């Protein structure tokens, strides 16, 4: 009897060992399967991952000293031309270098006073978040909703954008935008994250423009500055965005003792761009613009004044004996084409009295007296893209703004 019990206990122990060994084998198999699955998944992900292209040789980063040297060399030729012009008096022909605001919109009456000035502190305290403002403007026109009904694009006919760069205030320009129709006007002051909005009278628009630009009577001495590089006062989607950087580079090579040069070095100047667009063009194509540099007690017009008529032809003032401007589909007169560019070099023909247009890329040796109005050998502008600079009465600027927004 005891022997039988002993044999049965040994059988139970052996059976338990077998079950334990089997469980251990199953555990090891699961561990190995998990590790193998993880390894295969890593390989598959690595194979599917797009390969990075080998980077080519990267140019060494430009240091501050190298950048300053490059900019000085870039504007050195401009500084030399400026010095040459300082010794040459201005003549009446300087106005022929560009289409002036007075030739497009007329001059104010003799002895006319400045319009009343309104400051932005006189505006209301309505502030909109920049994102909410953009969402309001981008609301679909075919959806009836309060956001669309409040948008100025639903009732305005003209939009005036006044970009102002105050050198001591910021390196980027500020924007004052005015929406107006026949009996209603809305002014906006754009800041980094908010937009200040207020309803004003249409008769107060020019007064707020004067307060925003700080235009007033000037009694400074006219400088020898006659040209500025095109990048100094660019237009487009972001007008005057590079003005601070470019004028700072020019001030490093500007002639000593020049009023404008000293003002640029001291950062005491204001640059303005007045751009007008209409609802017919979906606020994209400007129908008029004017650029102004207020510096050293003198106001200068930079580049051409521009105004587009309803027939979609660029308007240029006529000189004595010129024919009427061409209409759509007709060839533009050569005189209007030459004055429209406002820079007598490169594409503008310079044969005496002929007004012919030169072929693009063909170098031109000199500036003809029929274009500049100044006799003798005079310095060339830097390039075809240079912007002519001519003194202008600040009242003519405000009058131009008033005429731009006439409905």
């Amino acid at each position: 009897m005891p022997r039988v019990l002993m044999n049965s206990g040994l059988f139970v122990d052996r059976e338990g060992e077998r079950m334990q060994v089997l469980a251990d084998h199953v555990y090891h198999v699961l561990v190995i399967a998990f590790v193998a699955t993880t390894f295969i998944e890593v390989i598959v992900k690595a194979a599917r991952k797009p390969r990075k292209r080998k980077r080519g040789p990267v140019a060494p980063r430009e240091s501050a000293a190298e950048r300053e040297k490059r900019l000085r060399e870039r504007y050195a030729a401009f500084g030399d031309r400026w010095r040459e012009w300082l010794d040459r008096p201005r003549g009446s022909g300087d106005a022929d270098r560009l289409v002036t605001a007075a030739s497009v919109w007329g001059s104010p009456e003799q002895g006319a006073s400045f319009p009343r000035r309104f400051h932005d502190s006189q505006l209301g305290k309505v502030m909109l978040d920049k994102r909410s403002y953009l969402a309001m403007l981008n609301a679909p026109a075919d959806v009836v909703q309060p956001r669309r009904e409040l948008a100025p694009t639903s009732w305005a006919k003209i939009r005036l954008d006044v970009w102002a760069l105050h050198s001591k205030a910021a390196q980027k320009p500020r924007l004052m935008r005015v929406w107006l129709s026949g009996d209603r006007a809305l002014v906006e002051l754009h800041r980094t994250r908010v937009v200040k909005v207020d309803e004003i009278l249409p008769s107060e628009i020019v007064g707020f423009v004067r307060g925003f630009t700080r235009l007033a009577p000037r009694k400074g001495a006219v400088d020898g500055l006659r040209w500025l590089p095109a990048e100094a006062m660019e237009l487009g989607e972001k007008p005057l965005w590079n003005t601070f950087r470019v004028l700072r580079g020019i001030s490093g090579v500007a002639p000593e003792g020049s009023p404008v040069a000293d003002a640029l070095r001291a950062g005491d100047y204001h640059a303005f761009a007045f751009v007008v667009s209409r609802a017919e063009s979906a606020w994209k194509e400007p129908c008029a613009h004017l650029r102004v540099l207020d510096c050293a007690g003198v106001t200068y017009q930079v580049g051409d004044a521009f105004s587009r008529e309803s027939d979609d032809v660029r308007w240029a003032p006529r000189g004595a004996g010129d024919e009427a401007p061409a209409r759509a589909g007709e060839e533009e007169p050569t005189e209007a084409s030459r004055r429209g560019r406002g820079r007598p070099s490169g594409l503008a023909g310079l044969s005496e009295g002929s007004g012919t247009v030169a072929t693009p890329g063909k170098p031109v040796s000199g500036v003809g007296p029929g274009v500049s109005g100044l006799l003798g050998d005079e310095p060339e502008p830097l390039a075809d893209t240079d912007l002519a600079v001519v003194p202008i009465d600040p009242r003519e600027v405000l009058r131009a703004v008033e005429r731009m927004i006439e409905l």
Side-chain angles (χ1 to χ4, degrees):
M1 188 67 181
R3 188 174 182 180
V4 174
L5 293 175
M6 185 177 63
N7 289 338
S8 62
L10 181 61
F11 176 77
V12 172
D13 291 341
R14 289 180 177 177
E15 193 67 24
E17 290 178 359
R18 289 177 182 176
M19 295 297 294
Q20 183 65 34
V21 171
L22 182 60
D24 292 342
H25 281 305
V26 172
Y27 174 76
H28 289 118
V29 170
L30 292 176
V31 171
I32 293 173
F34 175 77
V35 173
T37 304
T38 305
F39 183 72
I40 294 174
E41 185 178 358
V42 170
I43 294 178
V44 171
K45 286 184 178 180
R48 291 181 178 179
K49 188 176 181 179
R51 297 181 179 180
K52 294 183 179 180
R53 297 182 179 179
K54 294 183 178 180
R55 297 182 62 184
V58 180
R61 187 174 182 178
E62 186 180 34
S63 63
E66 293 174 344
R67 180 178 180 277
E68 183 179 357
K69 180 181 179 181
R70 177 175 58 84
L71 290 177
R72 284 183 176 274
E73 292 176 352
R74 179 182 180 184
Y75 296 120
F78 180 84
D80 294 339
R81 291 291 184 265
W82 195 342
R83 294 183 183 88
E84 293 181 37
W85 277 112
L86 280 176
D87 299 331
R88 299 176 182 271
R90 285 186 176 269
S92 59
D94 273 0
D96 292 333
R97 297 182 181 276
L98 79 170
V99 179
T100 61
S103 62
V104 178
W105 295 290
S107 300
E109 298 180 0
Q110 188 71 20
S113 60
F114 278 80
R116 180 184 176 186
R117 176 169 52 190
F118 294 97
H119 198 265
D120 57 1
S121 62
Q122 298 175 254
L123 297 176
K125 303 298 182 182
V126 179
M127 304 290 285
L128 295 179
D129 180 72
K130 204 66 172 286
R131 293 183 179 179
S132 302
Y133 169 80
L134 295 177
M136 180 180 66
L137 292 184
N138 297 330
D142 56 346
V143 177
V144 179
Q145 55 179 333
R147 176 179 290 178
R148 172 62 188 173
E149 294 175 359
L150 292 175
T153 52
S154 62
W155 54 266
K157 296 182 179 179
I158 294 180
R159 188 183 73 187
L160 168 66
D161 290 347
V162 183
W163 296 86
L165 176 67
H166 302 287
S167 57
K168 292 185 177 180
Q171 296 185 14
K172 297 299 181 182
R174 298 187 299 131
L175 170 63
M176 183 179 77
R177 175 167 289 172
V178 182
W179 306 84
L180 69 149
S181 61
D183 55 351
R184 186 179 178 186
L186 187 73
V187 63
E188 303 169 351
L189 295 179
H190 288 242
R191 299 177 183 175
T192 305
R193 296 182 180 179
V194 296
V195 181
K196 188 176 182 180
V197 183
D198 195 9
E199 191 104 7
I200 62 175
L201 298 176
S203 59
E204 297 175 339
I205 294 177
V206 180
F208 277 104
V209 169
R210 185 192 172 192
F212 184 72
T213 58
R214 307 176 189 177
L215 287 174
R218 305 301 184 195
K219 297 182 180 179
V222 177
D223 188 76
L225 178 66
R226 283 176 168 86
W227 305 92
L228 278 177
E231 63 268 19
M233 298 188 73
E234 292 180 336
L235 294 174
E237 295 183 359
K238 294 184 177 181
L240 309 183
W241 218 251
N242 299 319
T243 299
F244 182 86
R245 176 181 57 83
V246 174
L247 293 185
R248 182 179 58 183
I250 290 176
S251 65
V253 296
E256 297 288 343
S258 169
V260 173
D262 295 340
L264 293 181
R265 278 188 287 268
D268 186 14
Y269 62 87
H270 297 159
F272 308 112
F274 306 90
V275 183
V276 176
S277 54
R278 296 181 180 272
E280 296 86 52
S281 62
W283 316 107
K284 293 181 180 180
E285 294 294 333
C287 62
H289 72 236
L290 178 65
R291 286 170 285 187
V292 172
L293 177 65
D294 196 16
C295 186
V298 179
T299 303
Y300 296 92
Q301 177 185 330
V302 180
D304 290 338
F306 172 82
S307 178
R308 190 189 305 276
E309 296 295 337
S310 58
D311 57 1
D312 201 33
V313 176
R314 189 243 192 273
W315 192 92
R318 287 180 291 167
D322 292 339
E323 297 179 358
R327 295 298 177 183
E330 299 179 1
E331 185 178 357
E332 185 181 6
T334 55
E335 179 68 20
S337 174
R338 183 177 65 202
R339 291 197 57 183
R341 292 190 178 91
R343 40 189 180 273
S345 65
L347 298 179
L350 299 177
S351 58
E352 289 188 21
S354 63
T356 57
V357 178
T359 56
K362 184 178 180 180
V364 183
S365 58
V367 180
V371 177
S372 67
L374 298 177
L375 300 177
D377 52 342
E378 54 186 33
E380 287 276 0
L382 272 177
D384 300 338
T385 56
D386 286 348
L387 301 174
V389 176
V390 168
I392 185 175
D393 190 337
R395 289 175 297 184
E396 293 183 4
V397 177
L398 298 176
R399 174 182 171 82
V401 173
E402 183 180 3
R403 295 291 304 275
M404 282 182 188
I405 60 178
E406 284 185 351
L407 297 176

